[in-house]
Each structure stands twice: as C-alpha cells, then as structure tokens.
Amino acid sequence: MRGLLTLAFLARTTAAVLPITLLLALAQSHGYARAALVGGGYTLVLAFCAPLRGRLLDRYGAHRMLTLMGAATALLLALVACSVEFRWPWWTTMPLVIAATLLSPPLNAALRSSWRHLAADEVQLKAVHSADSVLEEAGFVLAPLTAGAAITLLGPRHAYEMAAAAFITVTALYLAAARRHNLGTTRPSTAAPPPRNPRRWLGPLATPGMTAILLPLLVMGCVFGGTGVLIPAYTQNQHATPWLGPLLAAISTGGVIGGILYATIDWKAGLWRKYQLLTLGFTLPTTLLFLARPLWLLATLLLLAGLFVTPLFINAFLLIDATANDDTRIEANTWVGASTDITNGIMAITIGALAQHHRWDTALITLTCCATVGAASAILTSTGPAAPPSAGTARATAADTELPAARPPTPQPGPGAAHGPEATAITGTDSCP
C-alpha cells in the first residue's frame, strides 16, 4: 500500500501545481477574467464528466480505459503547453484544456474504490482512508509552495510547462502501478440487465443519502474555487507575491493537521453526526471572510477552516463505502471530487470577473454568503438520511452510520460536486488542466 500511496501523493501534487501555473500564465497574456473563464470551464467539465468516466470503468473494466485515457491526456497536455509557450489565443487553449480534463483517467477514484478490497478489517479501512486523505492534503500544501517557487524562478509560462512534464511522467508510473495492483477492476457484468428504471441513469445519485453526503462538499467547492482565483489576483494587486504560496497552502495545511488529529482521536459519534459537526467546523470560520482584507487574517481563517477539510473527505468516503454497491462504486467515489468541482468552477468564474475589476470586498462577501448557507444547512439537518448497507459489503453498522430504524429510506437524487483533487490546488485530483 505504501507504494500506491506514494504515487498517489506525487500525482496529486503535480496535478495541483498545474491549475495555479496555468491561471497565472494565461492571466499574464490575456487577463484574469479570461484566465478564470478557462479555469472555471475545465473545472465544470471535470465536475459533470468525472462520474461518467467512473461509470466507464465500472462497466468495462479499468485497465484498457485507464491506459487509453492516460495516453490521450498526455498528448493534449503537450498541446496545452505549446499554446501557453507560443501564446495562442485563449479561445484555442480552452478546448484543449477541457479535452485534457475530460479524458484524464480517474485514477484516484479507482484507488479509493479498491481500499475496501485491500483493507483487512474496519480499523485498517479507516486508517488507510485517513492516510490517503492526509497525504492528499499534504500534496496540496506542497503544490502551491512549489508553484510559487517555480513561477518566481521560471516565470508562469515555463513553470506550467515544467508542471505538465512532471505530471505526465508521474501519471505513467501511476498507471503502471494501477495495472499491477488491479485497481478498480470489476468484471463487466454478464448477468441479465435489470428492469428498465427511469431513474437508473442517475447511478449512485439515486442511492439514499448521497445528496446529504454531497451538500457539504458543494459548499467547500465554493470556497476552494473562489480563493483559488482571489488569492493570486489579490496578492499581485497588493504587491505581496511572497504570500501567494502560503495563502494557497493554508487550507491544506489545516487539512493535514486536522486529518492527523481525526485519525488518532477515537470519536464515538456516528458518521452522520460527525459529518454535521465537521461541516459546521469548516463553515463557521469562512463566514468571517468578509473581514479578511488583511492577508494575515485571510491566512488564519483559511487555516482554521482547513482543519475540518480532511475529516470531511474521510467521512464522505466512508459513508459512500457503506452505501454504494459494487456496480457503481468507482462512479460513486468520483462524485466526491465532482461535487466540489461543480461549485468550484462556478465560483472561480464569478470571482475572476470581480478580481478583474478589483472588487475585493464584493468577492469576500460572496464567499461569506456561500459559507453561511452551508452553516445554516448543517444546523437545520439533525441527522443524515437512512441508507442501507450495500449488497457487496457490510462495512458499516447501523450504529456507526446512524441509520434510524423508524425512518424508511427515501431516494434523494441530487446534484453532484476534486483539491483541487484535481482541478485546483485544493480540490479534486483527477483533472489535468
């Protein structure tokens, strides 16, 4: 498992460097509004198409699809690097970035869907999910620091080219390891197709409880996408470029600390109760962002909010592991990153337009409003909805997932939602801008 975790860490880190360097490289040539439009565009494509990529792997098996998608992504990233180097018009770069994102292999979803087969028991399952999520956040601490150093030393364009080359190399190694360990491999079903169901196209979204799992991630995506654009623009406007890396790394720094604490503390509350309290922990500091014009205060609030990011992701993956079945397991895991990326892309475009006109107060108030909605939803939701264990696993007990016996499960299809991760420095991890 150590080798897989190491490769996942390197892949997420290099992937998280890409959007930072791409944003600044495009902003240097075309301005922040257009750069954010490109960034928000590929993030939205990632959000809506990541579950479809996961469904392909669930249906046809992982090996062939991962290899084909990885090769196509490498070619497209090379073309994006050319467009950045030779300063092609932004509207020619955008479809290349979107295509690279669309075809990027969902390696991290395949990895997380395989932990349940590799783990020996419940204790090891939680431990490996915790280690996976902590390492992910550690990568998102290292990524902005690396991006900031590369931009300072090489300039935005060459920094992006270096990041693209590193990502292609690491992805090739990751693909080889995925094949060796049979990650995400499920045999194509040979059974008779189930009866037609008008809701079948929803896949795991039709599973009871999925909407409640994804809602906090949608709120996190707003903060991730907004700060991912606001921080580079604001630090440049304030002539405080040395703050760029530390500010972008603040949430993930908190995530590493919070993930380690969460993995070591024996918290007896059920997963749904934990999820509610962790959502409050993330949203309460971010409701104060409207005050965060001083850079030190912005860094402090993001660090405090970040303490709850990794525990939220760990809980989300454990809840999905308890509810998803083997036919939709990879697709269900992709929705964790996709849910953050939906609002990430929308907020990146919104904040980019505000940053273009230096409307910093309006941008911070917008993020505050999103956090307030998330806090209110957590307060108004007393417990998670009932969700029966999947047929393929009995990982969670009724006590652990707080499944109220008196409340019948009600299907709740809902919207979906990476660190970077991977469209931004702090969201999903299966995007390749």
Side-chain angles (χ1 to χ4, degrees):
M1 291 187 185
R2 291 180 180 177
L4 286 173
L5 287 172
T6 300
L7 285 171
F9 170 76
L10 292 174
R12 291 161 181 163
T13 302
T14 54
V17 173
L18 286 171
I20 303 171
T21 52
L22 179 64
L23 176 71
L24 291 172
L26 293 177
Q28 186 180 55
S29 303
H30 308 294
Y32 271 102
R34 289 173 176 172
L37 182 62
V38 173
Y42 74 69
T43 303
L44 287 172
V45 168
L46 170 69
F48 289 108
C49 294
L52 297 178
R53 293 180 295 149
R55 185 172 296 188
L56 287 175
L57 268 63
D58 280 326
R59 184 165 298 179
Y60 301 111
H63 288 168
R64 179 183 299 177
M65 297 306 302
L66 287 175
T67 302
L68 291 175
M69 294 167 80
T73 299
L75 175 62
L76 288 165
L77 279 179
L79 291 175
V80 174
C82 290
S83 75
V84 169
E85 173 64 24
F86 299 110
R87 302 190 181 187
W88 296 355
W90 69 273
W91 47 266
T92 62
T93 301
M94 186 170 183
L96 293 173
V97 172
I98 289 176
T101 302
L102 179 64
L103 294 175
S104 60
L107 279 164
N108 294 304
L111 177 65
R112 285 187 165 115
S113 69
S114 298
W115 286 139
R116 60 182 294 273
H117 299 295
L118 299 175
D121 52 31
E122 289 296 326
V123 174
Q124 190 177 31
L125 179 66
K126 179 184 176 182
V128 75
H129 270 298
S130 299
D132 195 7
S133 295
V134 168
L135 283 173
E136 182 175 14
E137 290 303 320
F140 298 144
V141 173
L142 180 61
L145 299 176
T146 302
I151 289 167
T152 301
L153 295 174
L154 304 175
R157 289 188 295 115
H158 295 315
Y160 177 78
E161 293 158 10
M162 179 203 71
F167 177 77
I168 292 171
T169 302
V170 172
T171 299
L173 296 174
Y174 199 175
L175 283 168
R179 188 175 186 87
R180 185 167 61 253
H181 292 277
N182 296 319
L183 293 190
T185 50
T186 54
R187 292 188 302 272
S189 177
T190 57
R196 289 189 175 272
N197 186 337
R199 290 158 57 87
R200 188 183 172 200
W201 64 274
L202 288 171
L205 289 183
T207 303
M210 275 297 291
T211 302
I213 295 173
L214 300 182
L215 182 59
L217 306 177
L218 291 167
V219 176
M220 282 202 294
C222 289
V223 177
F224 294 162
T227 56
V229 174
L230 175 68
I231 288 171
Y234 188 50
T235 52
Q236 283 196 338
N237 178 262
Q238 298 295 308
H239 305 290
T241 304
W243 278 87
L244 172 63
L247 279 171
L248 288 175
I251 284 185
S252 292
T253 301
V256 171
I257 298 170
I260 293 173
L261 292 175
Y262 181 79
T264 55
I265 294 175
D266 186 15
W267 192 2
K268 295 300 184 182
L271 287 178
W272 284 115
R273 180 65 67 187
K274 292 176 188 176
Y275 210 50
Q276 177 193 24
L277 296 175
L278 292 169
T279 301
L280 279 174
F282 174 80
T283 54
L284 289 180
T286 49
T287 56
L288 301 176
L289 282 174
F290 69 98
L291 301 172
R293 285 295 293 271
L295 295 177
W296 66 267
L297 180 57
L298 178 59
T300 301
L301 292 175
L302 293 178
L303 179 66
L304 290 174
L307 292 172
F308 302 91
V309 167
T310 302
L312 271 169
F313 277 123
I314 294 171
N315 264 6
F317 288 121
L318 289 173
L319 285 169
I320 286 175
D321 187 77
T323 58
N325 57 53
D326 286 338
D327 292 334
T328 61
R329 191 166 300 279
I330 296 179
E331 183 183 351
N333 276 277
T334 63
W335 274 110
V336 174
S339 57
T340 61
D341 288 335
I342 287 175
T343 48
N344 185 314
I346 295 171
M347 195 55 60
I349 294 172
T350 302
I351 299 300
L354 294 173
Q356 182 73 18
H357 298 92
H358 298 172
R359 299 181 64 178
W360 312 118
D361 288 330
T362 305
L364 290 169
I365 290 172
T366 301
L367 294 175
T368 297
C369 291
C370 295
T372 302
V373 171
S377 66
I379 292 172
L380 295 175
T381 304
S382 58
T383 60
S390 65
T393 181
R395 291 286 182 183
T397 64
D400 192 31
T401 53
E402 291 186 351
L403 307 182
R407 184 185 306 171
T410 303
Q412 298 182 45
H419 171 343
E422 303 148 310
T424 72
I426 32 186
T427 64
T429 54
D430 285 318
S431 72
C432 310

